[in-house]
Amino acid sequence: MSAPFQRHRITPWILMAPQLGIVLVFFFWPALQAIEQAFYVEDAFGLSREFAGLVNFKAVLSDPTYYQAAGTTLIFSLAVAVGAMSIALLLAVMADRVIRGARVYRTLLVWPYAVAPAVAGVLWLFLFDPTLGLISGLLGNMGIEWDHKLNGAQALTLVIMASIWKQMSYNFVFFLAALQSVPNSLLEAAAIDRAGPWRRFWTITFPLLSPTAFFLLVMNSVYAFFETFGTIDTVTSGGPGGATTTLVYKVYQDGFVGQDMGASAAQSVLLMALVGGLTWFQFRYVEKKVQY
C-alpha cells in the first residue's frame, strides 16, 4: 500500500479526532460513570461508597413520585414535540408564500432559537407573573385567574408554551428549507388538475416533507426529554407540588438537591434506556411511513 494512500486513510480520523474526543469526554465517560454509580450507595460528600446491586433501581421503581414525574414527562414531551412541529410547519408554509419582506419575517422567526433555555424561561415568567405580568393581567381582565405558582395545570401549561416557543424556530428553519425544495412543477400540474391548495399540500407537499418531519420528530423528542431542564428550573423549579417535575429534573432534584447520588444515577440510566428505546421505536416503525 502506497504512502499517499495511507495518509489519506489517516486524515479523516485526524479531522474527526477533536469531535470524537469531545463525545468521549462529555458523553460516554459520564454515561459509564452514571451506570457504575447506579450500583453503589454513596454518602452525601462522595467520600465513601458501598456496592448495593439493584437496590437503587428498586428504590426508584417503588417511589410514587417517580411515576408522577414519568406521567408529567409523557404529557410534556408530547405537547412540546407536537406543538413545536405543528406551529413551525404553519409558520414555514406562511413564510414560504410571502414575497415582500420575506427575509425580515424569516429572520424574526429564527431569532428565538438563539435565546438560551433559561433566558426563554425568564421571559415567559415575566409575561405570566401573577402580579406584574402583561399576559396574566389581560387574562385577569377576561375573568381568568392566573397563578402558576399555585395552580399545577397552569404551571405545566406555562413551561410547555415556553419550551415550544424556544424550539419552534429550530423546526421552522428545516421546514422552510424543505418547502423550498419541493418542485413547483408538481404543484403546478396538480393545480391544472383542479386540486385545491389544501389537497395539494396534503397529497404532494406534506409527503415530500416526511423525511424532514421524521428527523425533527426524533430531535424534538430528545429536546423535550433533556434540553428543557433550564426552562423548567427558571420558571417553576419543578413545582407546584411536583406538577412540572419531569424525569430529567427529578434526576437533578434527587442528586444535587437531595444528595442521593445512587438513586439519581439509577434514574439517569433508566432515562437513557427510555429515550434510547423511544428512538429505536421511531426508527423501527415510524420511519416506515417516511417517503424518501
Side-chain angles (χ1 to χ4, degrees), residues 34-284:
I35 294 173
E36 179 189 9
Q37 198 172 28
F39 295 95
Y40 286 86
V41 174
E42 296 187 14
D43 61 65
F45 301 99
L47 299 177
S48 63
R49 65 177 183 173
E50 181 181 351
F51 182 77
L54 299 176
V55 170
N56 290 322
F57 291 96
K58 292 179 180 178
V60 169
L61 295 177
S62 61
D63 184 6
T65 60
Y66 182 77
Y67 293 100
Q68 179 185 352
T72 302
T73 303
L74 178 63
I75 298 171
F76 176 79
S77 301
L78 284 173
V80 170
V82 174
M85 291 180 64
S86 301
I87 296 174
L89 179 58
L90 176 62
L91 294 175
V93 171
M94 296 173 65
D96 189 47
R97 295 178 179 179
V98 172
I99 299 176
R100 288 187 177 182
R103 291 185 179 180
V104 176
Y105 288 115
R106 293 168 186 172
T107 301
L108 292 175
L109 289 170
V110 170
W111 270 0
Y113 187 66
V115 179
V119 177
V122 171
L123 292 174
W124 283 80
L125 183 61
F126 275 114
L127 289 173
F128 283 88
D129 184 85
T131 305
L132 303 173
L134 176 62
I135 298 180
S136 61
L138 294 175
L139 292 174
N141 294 333
M142 297 170 58
I144 301 174
E145 184 178 353
W146 179 276
D147 192 350
H148 63 272
K149 298 178 181 179
L150 300 176
N151 190 309
Q154 291 180 354
L156 184 60
T157 302
L158 179 57
V159 293
I160 288 173
M161 290 190 297
S163 300
I164 288 175
W165 179 81
K166 173 69 178 68
Q167 183 67 6
M168 70 179 184
S169 298
Y170 178 86
N171 300 335
F172 170 79
V173 172
F174 283 92
F175 275 132
L176 182 61
L179 284 169
Q180 292 177 342
S181 66
V182 175
N184 289 326
S185 58
L186 296 178
L187 299 175
E188 291 170 357
I192 293 173
D193 291 337
R194 297 183 179 181
W198 186 256
R199 187 176 180 184
R200 290 200 301 269
F201 177 80
W202 286 110
T203 58
I204 297 176
T205 304
F206 190 74
L208 293 175
L209 294 178
S210 59
T212 302
F214 175 72
F215 165 77
L216 291 176
L217 176 63
V218 175
M219 297 303 295
N220 279 258
S221 299
V222 175
Y223 164 79
F225 272 95
F226 291 110
E227 299 179 30
T228 52
F229 169 85
T231 303
I232 295 173
D233 189 48
T234 54
V235 176
T236 62
S237 298
T244 57
T245 299
T246 58
L247 290 176
V248 69
Y249 198 78
K250 185 167 173 54
V251 170
Y252 161 77
Q253 282 184 325
D254 290 353
F256 289 89
V257 179
Q259 293 296 311
D260 189 353
M261 298 300 179
S264 177
Q267 290 177 48
S268 66
V269 172
L270 292 173
L271 182 58
M272 283 191 292
L274 175 63
V275 175
L278 177 62
T279 305
W280 174 85
F281 176 83
Q282 290 172 336
F283 276 95
R284 181 68 176 82

